[in-house]
Amino acid sequence: MAKEAQAPAEAVAEGGSKKKLIIIIGAAVAVAVILGIVAFMMLGKGDKKTKKEGDAAPAESAAAPAAGGHGAPAAAPAAGGHGGGTSAAAAGGPSANIFQLEPFIVNIYDGQELRYLKVKVELEMVGPAIKGEIEAKLAPIRDAVLVLLSAKTLQDIQDVQGKNALKDEILAAVNKHIPPGKIAKVYFTDFVVQ
């Protein structure tokens, strides 16, 4: 009788382990199929982007610097660049009158702790000939903007009025190094506080 009781118990145990094995294999196949679909969709989107953009260069990646990188550019300058900015026309942008400065990353105080402020600034020039003047004075311009940004608090730049006032202050700082009237406007194309 003991042998008869063991036989059904072994059959049940063997059948249960087969079911578990089938479930595990099925789950692994499902995960592989899902990953394949995701990879196909990601690669498919990349092909569509390049077809739409034509032969445009890929965007530069902007990695945040380490904590000691106060105000350092987020990425190395593009090949042929001058280390601080590129004109929008050279980068395939819409206007030859826009000069893009490398992103600024500074520490700002919010009343309780230090935060990071990342700002991309673009300068609208009255003419494309001003580009050479900006490039010649790039270090003092970046320094002036960097000092201005790092003196701000979160409360200074939190609302729209603060951001507009900051644009005016940046324009005034740039005009100290470039003759006034040659820079028409200042634009923020990225403004992040963390």
Side-chain angles (χ1 to χ4, degrees), residues 27-41:
V29 168
V31 169
V33 168
I34 291 172
L35 289 175
I37 291 171
V38 169
F40 176 76
M41 291 176 67

Side-chain angles (χ1 to χ4, degrees), residues 21-147:
L21 183 62
I22 291 172
I23 290 173
I24 291 172
I25 291 173
V29 168
V31 169
V33 168
I34 291 172
L35 289 175
I37 291 171
V38 169
F40 176 76
M41 291 176 67
M42 296 299 280
L43 292 174
K45 285 183 181 180
D47 290 340
K48 289 178 186 176
K49 269 187 179 178
T50 55
K51 287 179 185 175
K52 287 181 185 177
E53 294 174 0
D55 294 329
E60 294 179 12
S61 65
H70 187 300
H82 294 283
T86 57
S87 71
S95 174
N97 292 341
I98 300 291
F99 189 88
Q100 299 174 352
L101 296 173
E102 290 292 324
F104 293 91
I105 301 173
V106 298
N107 293 319
I108 61 170
Y109 189 66
D110 76 349
Q112 297 174 352
E113 62 184 349
L114 283 176
R115 294 182 176 265
Y116 288 106
L117 169 65
K118 178 184 177 188
V119 181
K120 287 185 182 177
V121 178
E122 294 188 13
L123 306 174
E124 182 178 341
M125 306 172 287
V126 294
I130 311 302
K131 178 184 175 194
E133 293 182 44
I134 294 174
E135 289 174 344
K137 299 282 187 169
L138 195 56
I141 289 171
R142 282 194 56 82
D143 177 66
V145 174
L146 182 67
V147 169

